[in-house]
Amino acid sequence: MGIPYTAAHGTIRFSLSRYNTAEEVERVIEAVPPIVAQLRKLSPYWDVDGPVEEPEKAFVPAYA
């Protein structure tokens, strides 16, 4: 897609259609914040105070 690795590392996509219910959307709204919090703890791009200042220096993938 041509986006920086750091952007791809912190991206999530949701696809909705007319077949989704309001209850399904509400369930996602409830479920996602704790998952994001846990992933931020694991991320080299996120610090206790928020995003790291120089993400390109925080983590260099082995395949880069």
Side-chain angles (χ1 to χ4, degrees):
M1 290 175 52
I3 61 174
Y5 181 79
T6 53
H9 189 270
T11 301
I12 187 168
R13 176 181 175 174
F14 294 96
S15 296
L16 301 172
S17 75
R18 63 183 179 183
Y19 301 108
N20 290 103
T21 65
E23 290 81 16
E24 291 170 329
V25 173
E26 289 296 325
R27 174 68 182 118
V28 170
I29 290 170
E30 291 174 13
V32 169
I35 295 168
V36 169
Q38 181 62 31
L39 292 173
R40 284 179 174 167
K41 289 179 185 177
L42 302 172
S43 175
Y45 303 119
W46 200 265
D47 200 348
V48 176
D49 301 321
V52 295
E53 289 192 28
E54 298 183 64
E56 64 280 354
K57 294 180 181 176
F59 177 73
V60 178
Y63 57 83

